[in-house]
């Protein structure tokens, strides 16, 4: 019975012991990589295997020592029996330890296989032992594995090159480590980390092979997934249009180092990824000097706050071309307090140029919109102002801010708004795209502005009305001039008619007055008063014809130099003799005022008519001032004398010429004229006087006389502030005789 245990121990010592020893030889480099170099890590049970191997080998050595003693030596017989007895007891203890270690190998998490040293008739080396972990890993039972080679694990996904390397190591009798894709019994593939160690026999040759396998399928799949992801990321980065992706590591002191940057950097900056990863300064050195401080400051702020970095800035290419880039990166903290920034940089030069072009276009449009003298406005579909320029607001007598709170209806004359509504409705309905009309704007102060308005429809993609673009031109002055032109044409027609009638009537009156002069009645004749009345009526009719001829400019002019002081003094003397004493008459002639070129009789007639009108405007007395002074004419209108009220705008243009003139003025302190009266002061037969107080030809005749002398009439008047009439006569070159 004792030899059986020894036989079992010997078997364990010859098979399991070397295997455990080899496993320990594999584990030591794993446990102490600095001393043994890198290798595949094994599980904790293998540590126990190493210890068991040492114990089993010691037991085998104890078993061999009694066997070497020579039998038949009496002196040592009892000692030998004692030794054998002690060895048996020790061997029993070690047997228990070997069983414990065998259990550790059986239950190890890594697969452990013992292969025969040499290959048999079948390909490969037969399996002498396989633990439970290996069976679970491969899906085979131990009975299906022991006695067969591991070629059963090969499949379509096993790498032939790796298999050849394993075969070469077995043939050479040297240790070998690798990773291999095997196939389970069900055909599924899995990855193992494989360590192959030869076990030397007593003669020094390879007695067995110990193969330890660890399932690394999860790690390999993760590595493959990571590799695929990195490859996809590289493809994305290398094919990113006009940009690149990067990883930059920033230390706690903000030192920067590019860990990765895609090939798009070459298209963007003309640098290779290798140049960027070798020296981060090669990238930062290309940033525009004006933008670099801001980029660094914002990077540092993002670094401290662990916040995303995003900025657009200018940078140069290696060739010196200036470009705009948009850079965005996200931080990941590092154990040393640094940051790993994962980001993307895009070339936005084209967009920036487009934005700059758009900005310039908007500035140009805004300049045109704001600076044009025409009123421009934009109204929405509801009819509210959404935009307008200052000219439009000024035309409506409001500010831009005030106008944007109103609608066109709020500033339009009610009559004009009612008239234009059907046209606007057609514009919104799509039956027309443009509306042109003349309308009136009513300012807050009640003044009316005439405007020619053109409204164009701005439609959306579906053709619906979205906005109305209005262009308004102030035509108030033009309409006033048109009214004046029509008035002048009317007056011209009336003048021609009056001139013809007056000429014919004057001829008739000449005969009447001539015949009346020949009639001589004796004193006391009862027909004498009647004849005197006829003569007075004929004289008045002759005076009317003279006025009509003056208005029609049919008088025969005998122009010559006339001293203004003498002309005004004569008119003033006549006024002092005939006017109400409550009316004070004053004459003012500016120093150096030269003579005027005029017909003395017609000039006296014009001044007399103006004095009579001034007298009628001051029924309760006042001051009548006759003045004269030189005026240098200007193109577009006469110059106003310093310190005096300006001329009416309507009288500046038609007859004004760039010549030297003398202004003769008749001013009163009477009741003045209203706007309605001023609009008709030169109308023939228009008068504000009562019946039998005037014919209404006074100012019309004055205007005719002045125009006949190539001059013009100006005036200024206001209710309660009096009236001043200015007669502009050409200045004479020679002094009066």
């Amino acid at each position: 019975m004792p030899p059986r245990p020894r036989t079992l121990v010997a078997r364990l010592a010859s098979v399991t012991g070397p295997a455990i020893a080899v496993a320990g030889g594999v584990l030591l480099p794993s446990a102490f990589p600095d001393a043994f170099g890198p290798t595949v890590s094994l599980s904790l049970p293998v540590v126990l295997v190493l210890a068991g191997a040492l114990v089993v080998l010691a037991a085998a050595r104890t078993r061999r020592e009694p066997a070497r003693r020579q039998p038949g030596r009496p002196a040592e017989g009892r000692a030998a029996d004692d030794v054998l007895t002690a060895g048996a007891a020790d061997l029993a203890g070690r047997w228990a330890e070997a069983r414990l270690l065998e259990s550790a190998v059986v239950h190890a998490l890594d697969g452990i296989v013992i292969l025969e040293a040499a290959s048999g008739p079948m390909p490969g080396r037969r399996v002498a032992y396989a633990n439970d972990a290996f069976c679970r890993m491969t899906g085979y039972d131990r009975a299906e594995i022991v006695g067969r080679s591991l070629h059963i694990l090969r499949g379509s996904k096993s790498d032939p090159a790796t298999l050849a390397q394993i075969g070469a190591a077995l043939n050479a009798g040297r240790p070998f480590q690798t990773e291999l894709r095997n196939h389970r019994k069900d055909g599924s593939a899995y990855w193992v980390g494989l360590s192959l160690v030869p076990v030397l026999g007593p003669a020094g040759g390879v007695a067995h092979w110990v193969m330890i396998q660890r399932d690394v399928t999860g790690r390999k799949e993760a590595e493959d997934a990571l590799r695929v992801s990195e490859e996809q990321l590289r493809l994305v980065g290398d094919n990113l249009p006009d940009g690149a992706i990067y990883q930059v590591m920033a230390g706690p002191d903000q030192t920067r180092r590019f860990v990765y940057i895609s090939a798009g950097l070459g298209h963007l900056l003309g640098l290779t990824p290798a140049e960027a990863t070798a020296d981060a300064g090669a990238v930062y050195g290309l940033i525009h000097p004006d933008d670099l401080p801001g980029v660094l400051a914002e990077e540092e702020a993002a670094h401290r706050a662990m916040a995303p970095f995003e900025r657009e800035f200018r940078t140069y290419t290696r060739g010196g071309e200036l470009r705009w880039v948009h850079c965005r990166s996200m931080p990941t903290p590092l154990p040393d307090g640094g940051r790993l920034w994962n980001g993307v940089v895009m070339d936005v030069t084209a967009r920036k140029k487009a934005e700059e072009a758009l900005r310039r276009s908007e500035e140009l449009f805004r300049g045109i919109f704001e600076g044009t003298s025409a009123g421009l406005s934009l109204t929405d579909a509801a009819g509210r102002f959404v935009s307008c320029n200052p000219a439009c607001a000024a035309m409506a007598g409001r500010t831009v801010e005030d106008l944007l709170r109103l609608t066109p209806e709020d500033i339009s004359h009610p009559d004009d708004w009612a008239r234009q509504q059907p046209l606007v409705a057609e514009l919104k309905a799509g039956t027309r795209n443009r509306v042109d009309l003349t309308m009136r704007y009513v300012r807050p102060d009640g003044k009316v502005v005439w405007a020619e308005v053109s409204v164009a429809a701005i439609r959306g993609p579906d053709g619906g009305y979205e906005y109305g673009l209005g262009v308004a031109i102030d035509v108030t002055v033009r309409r006033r001039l048109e009214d004046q032109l029509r008035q002048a044409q009317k007056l011209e027609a009336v003048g021609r008619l009056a001139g013809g009638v007056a000429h014919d009537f004057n001829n008739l009156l000449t005969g009447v007055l001539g015949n009346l002069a020949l009639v001589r009645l004796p004193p006391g004749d009862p027909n004498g008063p009647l004849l005197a009345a006829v003569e007075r009526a004929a004289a008045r009719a002759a005076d009317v014809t003279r006025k009509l001829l003056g208005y029609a400019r049919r008088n025969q002019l005998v122009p010559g130099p006339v001293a203004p002081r003498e002309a005004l003094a004569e008119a003033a003397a006549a006024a002092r003799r005939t006017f109400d004493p409550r009316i004070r008459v004053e004459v003012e002639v500016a120093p150096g005022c030269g003579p005027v070129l005029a017909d003395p009789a017609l000039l006296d007639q014009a001044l007399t008519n103006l004095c009579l009108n001034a007298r009628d405007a001051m029924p309760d007395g006042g001051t009548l001032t006759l003045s004269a002074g030189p005026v240098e004419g200007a193109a577009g209108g006469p110059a106003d004398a310093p310190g005096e009220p300006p001329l009416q705008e309507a009288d500046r243009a038609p007859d004004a010429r760039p010549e030297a003139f003398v202004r003769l003025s008749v001013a009163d302190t009477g009741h003045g004229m209203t706007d309605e009266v001023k609009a008709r002061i030169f109308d023939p037969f228009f008068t504000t006087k009562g019946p039998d107080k005037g014919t209404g030809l006074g100012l019309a005749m004055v205007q005719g006389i002045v125009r006949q002398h190539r001059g013009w009439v100006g005036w200024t008047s206001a209710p309660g502030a009096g009236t001043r009439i200015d007669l502009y006569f050409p200045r004479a070159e020679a002094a009066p005789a």
Side-chain angles (χ1 to χ4, degrees), residues 247-261:
Q247 281 186 323
V248 62
M249 186 177 294
D253 58 352
Q254 280 292 290
T255 56
R256 300 168 181 83
R257 178 175 63 87
F258 281 99
V259 179
Y260 168 78
I261 193 163

Side-chain angles (χ1 to χ4, degrees), residues 505-718:
F505 191 53
N506 192 56
N507 291 337
L508 296 175
L509 288 176
T510 300
V512 172
L513 290 173
N515 291 323
L516 286 175
L518 297 176
V519 175
R520 293 289 184 267
L521 294 177
D525 190 321
N527 293 319
L530 296 177
L531 190 62
V534 171
E535 187 174 5
R536 287 194 301 272
R540 290 184 59 192
D543 183 64
V544 171
T545 57
R546 282 195 302 273
K547 292 181 179 180
L548 287 174
L549 289 173
Y551 168 74
R553 297 188 240 177
R554 296 287 184 89
N555 290 327
Q556 296 297 322
L557 292 180
V558 184
V562 178
R565 184 178 296 276
E566 295 179 1
L568 296 180
E570 184 176 350
R576 290 189 183 99
R577 290 193 304 269
T578 59
F579 288 1
D580 189 329
R582 293 177 299 175
I583 298 176
R584 186 173 67 256
V585 180
E586 298 178 353
V587 176
E588 299 175 356
V589 179
C593 180
V596 299
L597 184 62
D599 184 308
L602 294 179
L603 177 58
D604 180 68
Q605 186 178 0
L607 292 175
T608 299
N609 274 276
L610 292 179
C611 290
L612 293 175
N613 287 341
R615 179 201 62 185
D616 296 338
M618 297 182 292
D620 299 326
T623 301
L624 173 64
T625 304
L626 289 81
S627 60
V631 174
E632 294 296 330
D640 298 325
E644 295 189 2
L647 295 175
Q648 293 295 322
E649 188 68 26
D651 266 350
R652 284 181 175 272
D655 300 324
R657 289 175 298 280
E659 301 176 10
F661 290 85
V662 174
R663 179 174 61 194
L664 304 177
S665 300
V666 177
D668 62 67
T669 58
H671 49 65
M673 293 185 290
T674 63
D675 292 339
E676 292 76 13
V677 173
K678 287 187 287 185
R680 303 185 62 188
I681 58 175
F682 294 119
D683 284 2
F685 309 110
F686 171 77
T687 181
T688 58
K689 301 174 184 178
D692 300 330
K693 293 294 183 69
T695 60
L697 287 173
L699 288 177
M701 182 269 297
V702 170
Q703 185 186 50
I705 291 174
V706 175
R707 286 183 175 179
Q708 205 168 359
H709 287 81
R710 298 178 62 251
W712 70 93
V713 180
W715 77 93
T716 177
S717 179

Side-chain angles (χ1 to χ4, degrees), residues 52-108:
L54 298 176
V55 172
V56 172
L57 290 176
R61 190 165 49 252
T62 303
R63 181 186 61 83
R64 288 196 297 270
E65 287 178 356
R68 286 197 295 269
R69 294 188 177 92
Q70 296 180 4
R73 297 179 63 182
E76 299 176 355
R78 186 174 295 276
D81 290 339
D82 293 340
V83 170
L84 288 174
T85 301
D90 183 62
L91 184 60
R94 298 195 181 273
W95 167 255
E97 293 180 3
R99 290 298 300 271
L100 179 62
L101 294 175
E102 182 182 15
S103 176
V105 172
V106 169
H107 296 91

Side-chain angles (χ1 to χ4, degrees), residues 14-76:
S14 63
V15 177
T16 308
I20 296 173
V22 172
V26 175
L27 177 65
L28 285 175
S30 173
F32 304 98
D34 294 337
F36 294 91
T39 186
V40 179
S41 299
L42 301 179
S43 60
L44 179 62
V46 181
V47 179
L48 301 176
V49 172
L50 174 60
L54 298 176
V55 172
V56 172
L57 290 176
R61 190 165 49 252
T62 303
R63 181 186 61 83
R64 288 196 297 270
E65 287 178 356
R68 286 197 295 269
R69 294 188 177 92
Q70 296 180 4
R73 297 179 63 182
E76 299 176 355

